[in-house]
Each structure stands twice: as C-alpha cells, then as structure tokens.
Amino acid sequence: MKRGALTGIIYPTGGMSALEYEANTFSSVQSLDRSQMIDSAGIGGGLRIKSIKNFEDSTCMKLLSSKTYSYKIPGTDSSSGELIAAPKYYWHRWNAYTKGSNAELNISTFRNSSIVPLVNSFGPSVGYTWVEEQYADGSKIVYHYSNLSNTQNDLLQVTQGFNTPEPSPYDRFTEFGMTRGKILSENEYDSNGNLVKNIELTYRSGADQTPSVCCSNLVAEAGPQGIEFYRGRIYNRYYPKCDPVSKSTTTFHGSTSSTVSEIYHRSDRHLVRPQSYFHYTDVRLLDSISQTRGNSSQERSFKYTINCDNPSALSLFNNAFDLRVVSERTYRNQSLVMEDLTEFGSFNIIQNQTWLLPKYEIKIYPNLTSDTLITYISYNTKGMPNYYQVTGEERTSLSWIVNGCLVGSKFIGKSFQPTGFPDDCHISSDWMRDNATIYNASITDDGMMYLYSYYPLKGVASITAPNGITTYYDYGRMGVLNLIKDDNFKTIKQFQLNYRLK
C-alpha cells in the first residue's frame, strides 16, 4: 500500500522533512441511497499522514520539529473517517433508460470491479471529521471538518427523452463534494491541556448559491430484442466555491478571554467575455469584511476594476480581465476613517505598446481632502516600476534583476540613475564582490545608491548602503534567517527558533 509514497523532501536550502504514513480507516459509510450514514468500521483505500519530522539536513541527525496526527473522534477510540460508499458488484433488476417510448427493460448488472456510484463523487473516498495535530511538547491543535454526515446531496435532474424514471446504478445523486473537508473549528491547547485559542467558521450553503455546469456520462448499450438502453446519467457538477461567511476567534488568557468576530460579504457575477472567443465566466468578489471586538467595530469595503468609477480601471478589466482591488474604504464604528485609492494611467512600456498601470496611490479622508502618497513615473518592460516618487521625498529609481522579480539597486535622488544590471542577472554576494568596480553603492550630489544581493530560494544576502557599509544576512538549513552581520562579518543580531521538541 505504501509503495511509491513520498517519504522525504530535501529542500534546496538543506533541510529535510520525513513523512510517515498509515492506512485510512473509517467508522461509518454512506448508504447507497445517500440518505443516511451506517455504522461500519474498517480500513479504507489509500494512505494518510501519521507523522512529519523536520531535520536540519538529510543525515536526519538533528531533529528540529515533529508532528504526529490522530484521526479519532474526540474522547473515543473510533475513527472519524467516513466512507462515501461500500463496494458493490451486483445490482439486481433495475429499470434502465430506454429509447423507445413503449419499451421497458429490467436488467441485473454484475461486474468484477466495484460499480459503486463514484463517477460524480467529489474528492477522496474517505474523509475525516476530526484531525488532531500533536507536538512533542504535548501541545496540540484539534481540527473539526465538515464531512458526509453534515453535508447534503442533490437528486439528479430528470433526463429528457427517456421512458423510465430510474437511473443506472452508477449515478443517482450529485454530491456537494466541495462542502466536505471545510474546517469548521480549530482548538489549540498548551502542553498542560489548557485551551488557549478557539476558531469557529461558518460557510454559505445551498445549491442556489453554488454555480454548476451540466455534465453527462451517458453510455448507450444494446439490450435484448434490439432495445437500446443507457448507463450513466446527466448530472450537475458544482464548482468548489464554498466560501466562509463568518469567523470567530477567541483567545483565552487564564480565566479571561477576548473574541474577534468577522463577517465576509461576497457577491457573484456572471460575466460575458468576448476575448479569444465568446464565453461566460463566473467570479465571486469579496465586497467587505466586518470585524467586531467588544464594543468596537471596523469594516473594510472593496471596489474592483469591474465596479469602480474610474474609466481607466474599468478599461483595464474590459481589455485584460484584470480584477484587482482599486479602492479600499475603512470604517470604525460605522464612521468613515479613510479610503485608499489607486488611479491608473497609460505608460509606453514597449515600442508601440501602451499598458494601463498604477499612476497614483491616493488617500482620501472623511472631509474629502486627499493626499497623493506615491506617483509612478515609469515602468520597465516587465511592468515593474523603475521610477516613482513618494510625496515629500526625493525620487526613487529601481533596477530589477532575475527577469524583473527582485530589486538589484535603489537610487534616491534628483535624477534617474539605474545601475544597468543585466535583466536576467542573479546577483549573489560573490557576484557583487567580483563586480564591485562596476556597480558601487555611493553618495553623490544627485542622491544615494543602495545595492542588494540575494541567496537563491532564501532571501536577501546583503544590502550595501550609500556610505559603502554592507549588512549581511545568513540563513539556516530550513531557509530561516539566523544571523545579521555587519561590514566586518561580526554578528550584530542572532535569531533562535524555539521548536516544540520537549
């Protein structure tokens, strides 16, 4: 069963994770008509994670952290696994769909492989309601998930043009599988067994709020006396868009506690898109987040390129299907505090090509006064800003490396002075040292130049200030920042991680 399973991950930074597995188990199975859960314990197909151990390197000599997992119903020895259907190889005398209006066919089906109705099942055959993640020091987190027993199924729609109402053994229901495996609660306990944090979530429900497409797995077969019948059915395939509508977080401090409640407001849009070909697409937008803490409330509301008042931003959506947030309003106790707004403009990026990109970052206050925080002056060919100005400060120019992913240098001053790094260059500390005569951090009459170097897959390796002093950064095997050193490679700051080992 474990053959071919992933047992270890060696990271480019040098650390390693070891994975241990065990067989899936279950204590209940869904009835064939999907109307109830039946008590039935056994071993399910496939594997589940038993433990994850993180080591400093591939020798596995120094253990950094470990986690073990339990899948039992709290306070019992029963598995919280639920099986979607028991294997079934024989179906006795079912009414098949036939083509002829006067035809009727009763057929028995037998196969040497299970004919459980799994064709339109969403997700794995076994799902767990409870998962306990325990650390070596005795602390743990208990997760509660939605499962078959607290989700719903949908009867398949009637297929037009067939004589009998009975489906084939394969497909009778359309499962709301996207509602399985959603975290309902999360309880965190310290090493003494005391509850320190509780998180509760709720989700939107109902097929009327979940978009779907009509699918078919109908297969025509020839029966006795030339009667044609069908296996399979037409059913709805629901999109996995079961979003949380509320979240409550309670933190416990001895005998006291504090609770933060959040409510998420979303809207669905059915859009017509003419690009490439005429088609429809569904999107779900987060409109606002309302937060309550004691007697205080705060709300953040969002406007997107699709529903804003800015013609440039609307053009960005219409031409490029860009659905970014362009406005965020903050309210406290129902009073507007501020609005953060992005305005767009046209920039010549490549010859004969104009892109719509952010031009101003603006903050608007309740009295309708506003401040322009950042003005973007120009962009490079990858659409990254290479020249901008923060209000009240000198202009800043950036040179980008690694195909526009990382900043190679930053110049703050009156004039635009890029360093001219090769665009695909991967700057490291060694590269910077070898090319010091070409690229130098400096202070001039026009401004100040900063230089940056990087460790691949880790982070910043060094930052050289305009005065020529370089700060170096060292990372551990797992890619975590350990040391910060000065220009003479003397440690000026050290970070120590506390792993849950004892």
Side-chain angles (χ1 to χ4, degrees), residues 34-92:
R34 302 196 180 189
S35 64
Q36 60 181 324
M37 298 301 297
I38 302 172
D39 291 338
S40 178
I43 296 177
L47 300 171
R48 66 190 186 194
I49 286 289
K50 182 179 180 181
S51 68
I52 300 176
K53 296 179 180 180
N54 295 316
F55 296 92
E56 187 178 48
D57 54 42
S58 58
T59 63
C60 298
M61 298 297 293
K62 184 176 180 180
L63 180 66
L64 298 180
S65 64
S66 66
K67 295 179 287 187
T68 57
Y69 295 88
S70 172
Y71 302 84
K72 296 179 180 179
I73 300 173
T76 73
D77 288 327
S78 300
S79 170
S80 68
E82 296 180 0
L83 184 66
I84 191 172
K88 187 177 179 65
Y89 303 92
Y90 177 71
W91 211 289
H92 180 66

Side-chain angles (χ1 to χ4, degrees), residues 176 291 427 431:
F176 284 87
Q291 186 182 90
I427 296 182
W431 187 95

Side-chain angles (χ1 to χ4, degrees), residues 144-146 178-185 203 240 242-243:
H144 183 202
Y145 296 93
S146 59
M178 71 288 175
T179 62
R180 295 172 59 199
K182 299 298 180 183
I183 186 166
L184 302 177
S185 68
Y203 298 83
C242 190
D243 303 300

Side-chain angles (χ1 to χ4, degrees), residues 236-255:
N236 291 325
R237 170 66 75 185
Y238 290 92
Y239 300 170
K241 287 187 177 182
C242 190
D243 303 300
V245 295
S246 69
K247 178 182 179 181
S248 175
T249 304
T250 303
T251 306
F252 298 90
H253 317 274
S255 59

